[in-house]
Amino acid sequence: MEAKMKYVTSKDGTKLAYDVTGSGPPLICITGASCFRNFPPILKVVKVLSKHFTVYNYDRRGRGDSSDTAPYSISKEVDDLEVLIDACGGKALLYGHSSGAVLALEAALRLDEKIDQVIVYDPPYVHTKSDRAKYQALAAEVMKQLSQKNNKRAMKTFLSGIGMPKFFVLFLPLFPGWREMHTLAPTLAYDIELTKDFPPLNRFKEIKIPTLVLVGSKSPESVRAVGEEIAKAIPAAAFEIIAGQDHLVNAKVLLPKFTRFFGTSKA
C-alpha cells in the first residue's frame, strides 16, 4: 500500500513532509546527509521496519517536499522532531542514521518525556584532532563549492571526503535519486554543523532514555571508536558492532536488533 504524504508545521513555520507506513509502535526514522524520504535506499529501510513498526519517514528541513527557514540551527531540527512526535501521538521511538544519529541523541537530551527509546547507527562525530582538521578542510571545500552553486561537485566532494567508496561516488549520476540528491546539496551545511566536532560526552551523561548504539564492523575505525565512547557516556546505553556491515547498513540485518531492543519481536 502506497503511503500518503502528510505535513506538519514546525515552530518556525517550516513545513515538514512525511509518510506513515506499517503497524506497531510509532518509530521516526531520521536520515543522514544526502538522503531524503523517497530515496530508494531509504524506502528499502522503511519497507523492512514497517513489518513491526508504524514508521514515520520524513524529509528533514530543506529536503524533498519539506520547506526551510533560515537561519539554520540544530535546535530547529530538534523542534522538527518534536512536532513529528506530537503527530504520532506524543510518544515515539527514534532511529537515527549517520548525522541523523546526532539529531536523535540531541532529541534524547531535550525531549526525553516524549521519547521511549533510541537506536543510533554510526554517529559520525570527529574522533581525534587530526580527524577534526581534515574535516574542517573538507567542510571548507564543500562550502566553497556550494557558494559557487556547484551542487553536484559539492555532493561528490563531501561523499568522497567522508570515505564513501570511489566506485559509489563515480557512478552516482546513474543512481535513481541522483537529481534529488544534488539539488539538496545546500543541506550538507546542516550535516557539517551537526558532525564537525567531538561528541559532547559530558552532555550525553544526562541522557536518561534507553539507547542502543550500533556501528558497522566495516565502518571507519573512527566511527566505531566514537560509537563506543558515546555508549559508555550514556548511563542507559548498550553498544554493539554489527558484523559485516559498513555505513550503508542492510535493514534486514538491523531488524532483529530493533525488535529485540524495542521489545516488538513476534517470535
Side-chain angles (χ1 to χ4, degrees):
M1 182 177 178
E2 187 175 344
K4 183 179 180 180
M5 183 173 65
K6 301 180 180 181
Y7 284 101
V8 289
T9 302
S10 197
K11 291 180 181 179
D12 69 348
T14 300
K15 291 184 68 177
L16 304 168
Y18 71 99
D19 301 320
V20 184
T21 56
S23 61
L27 170 64
I28 297 176
C29 290
I30 314 169
T31 58
S34 79
C35 295
F36 54 99
R37 81 181 200 288
N38 286 324
F39 190 35
I42 299 303
L43 293 177
K44 287 182 181 179
V45 173
V46 170
K47 182 178 180 180
V48 170
L49 296 181
S50 294
K51 296 175 182 178
H52 288 259
F53 304 93
T54 301
V55 178
Y56 286 71
N57 176 29
Y58 78 107
D59 282 324
R60 285 172 53 189
R61 57 176 52 221
R63 308 182 186 200
D65 294 303
S66 291
S67 65
D68 201 0
T69 307
Y72 174 79
S73 72
I74 296 172
S75 179
K76 286 185 177 183
E77 287 225 69
V78 177
D79 288 343
D80 297 347
L81 282 168
E82 184 171 16
V83 296
L84 281 164
I85 293 171
D86 290 342
C88 58
K91 293 277 280 189
L93 307 166
L94 297 186
Y95 166 52
H97 176 265
S98 195
S99 63
V102 176
L103 281 175
L105 294 169
E106 289 292 330
L109 279 166
R110 206 182 88 179
L111 307 175
D112 58 296
E113 293 183 357
K114 294 187 174 186
I115 300 169
D116 288 318
Q117 293 168 291
V118 174
I119 292 179
V120 297
Y121 185 88
D122 273 10
Y125 295 95
V126 297
H127 183 231
T128 65
K129 290 182 179 179
S130 175
D131 289 341
R132 183 167 62 178
K134 291 177 182 177
Y135 196 57
Q136 287 174 342
L138 172 64
E141 181 61 26
V142 170
M143 296 306 294
K144 176 184 176 181
Q145 292 164 4
L146 289 175
S147 70
Q148 297 170 349
K149 308 299 182 184
N150 198 337
N151 287 1
K152 293 178 181 179
R153 186 175 177 186
M155 182 63 73
K156 289 183 177 181
T157 298
F158 179 80
L159 294 176
S160 295
I162 63 172
M164 285 294 182
K166 290 182 180 179
F167 73 88
F168 175 83
V169 177
L170 179 64
F171 290 104
L172 263 178
L174 303 178
F175 286 13
W178 168 239
R179 179 182 177 184
E180 290 85 351
M181 280 182 72
H182 71 72
T183 57
L184 57 80
T187 64
L188 291 174
Y190 305 169
D191 298 290
I192 289 169
E193 181 66 23
L194 284 162
T195 60
K196 67 183 181 181
D197 216 330
F198 305 117
L201 300 178
N202 284 333
R203 291 176 61 230
F204 288 163
K205 291 177 183 178
E206 303 301 317
I207 294 177
K208 302 177 179 65
I209 300 167
T211 303
L212 175 60
V213 181
L214 301 172
V215 296
S217 68
K218 294 184 177 181
S219 295
E221 182 180 354
S222 61
V223 171
R224 300 198 304 271
V226 163
E228 188 169 10
E229 288 177 356
I230 291 171
K232 288 179 178 178
I234 299 172
F239 176 72
E240 185 175 345
I241 298 175
I242 304 182
Q245 296 299 303
D246 57 19
H247 195 61
L248 303 176
V249 62
N250 186 324
K252 292 181 180 179
V253 175
L254 282 180
L255 183 59
K257 317 283 183 190
F258 278 53
T259 56
R260 183 172 65 249
F261 184 74
F262 289 145
T264 58
S265 176
K266 297 178 181 178

